[in-house]
């Protein structure tokens, strides 16, 4: 490989956002993208042999690209499923909101017809609950 093609490859890698260097034990590739078995295999190979026979690296690279494509398709499917689920859940919440609004409207209508009697009972209930909690926590 000539120095010109080497610098051209590094420039293309930089434009694509890839790291420069050859894959190996200390190249900085993450374990998920480059396994330890691949690293030990590359460490045992001679650099001249790897430069002469890149077909093995090409096939491994193609298989990893296919795996990444499959993972991204699976992620896209999962996102679509979750969006459908959230849309369904949103529709259910809108229905629940309507029922709750109707119930509260009926409650306010009942409250208006009865006067301040229910308010008195509600306040008495709250006072009883607080007294019970105080006694329970004090003499526990």
């Amino acid at each position: 490989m000539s120095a010109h093609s080497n610098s051209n490859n590094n420039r293309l890698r930089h434009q694509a956002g890839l790291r420069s260097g050859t894959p190996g034990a200390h190249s900085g590739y993450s374990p998920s993208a480059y396994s330890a078995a691949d690293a030990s295999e590359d460490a045992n190979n001679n650099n001249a042999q790897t430069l002469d026979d890149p077909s093995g690296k090409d096939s491994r690279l193609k298989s990893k690209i296919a795996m990444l494509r499959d993972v991204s398709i699976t992620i896209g499917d999962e996102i679509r499923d979750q969006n459908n689920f959230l849309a369904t859940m949103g529709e259910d919440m809108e229905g629940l909101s309507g029922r709750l609004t109707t119930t509260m409207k009926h409650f306010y209508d009942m409250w208006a017809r009865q006067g301040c009697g229910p308010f008195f009972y509600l306040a008495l209930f709250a006072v009883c609950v607080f007294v019970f909690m105080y006694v329970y926590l004090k003499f526990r």
Side-chain angles (χ1 to χ4, degrees):
M1 204 175 235
S2 69
H4 174 68
S5 65
N6 218 3
S7 66
N8 193 22
N9 284 342
N10 285 338
R11 183 179 54 79
L12 292 174
R13 283 183 178 185
H14 178 69
Q15 286 175 348
L18 299 174
R19 291 177 243 181
S20 62
T22 58
H26 302 291
S27 65
Y29 287 101
S30 66
S32 62
Y34 196 73
S35 70
D38 291 339
S40 65
E41 182 182 323
D42 284 343
N44 294 334
N45 287 341
N46 187 356
N47 279 342
Q49 181 184 3
T50 9
L51 292 176
D52 293 340
D53 184 28
S55 63
K57 287 189 177 197
D58 288 347
S59 65
R60 281 187 298 188
L61 185 60
K62 286 178 184 177
S63 69
K64 288 179 183 181
I65 288 172
M67 179 184 65
L68 287 173
R69 187 190 71 218
D70 292 341
V71 167
S72 66
I73 289 171
T74 304
I75 289 172
D77 292 341
E78 184 67 26
I79 288 172
R80 259 188 303 283
D81 291 344
Q82 291 296 324
N83 283 340
N84 290 338
F85 175 71
L86 287 173
T88 303
M89 195 167 78
E91 291 168 2
D92 291 344
M93 285 297 177
E94 287 174 6
L96 178 64
S97 174
R99 285 189 296 236
L100 200 59
T101 302
T102 304
T103 302
M104 290 305 293
K105 184 179 179 299
H106 289 202
F107 176 74
Y108 289 135
D109 289 344
M110 180 193 73
W111 188 281
R113 279 185 262 127
Q114 301 246 337
C116 67
F119 179 73
F120 174 74
Y121 290 125
L122 183 63
L124 182 65
F125 174 75
V127 168
C128 290
V129 167
F130 284 120
V131 168
F132 175 76
M133 286 175 45
Y134 175 75
V135 170
Y136 177 74
L137 292 174
K138 183 76 170 177
F139 297 111
R140 181 166 69 152

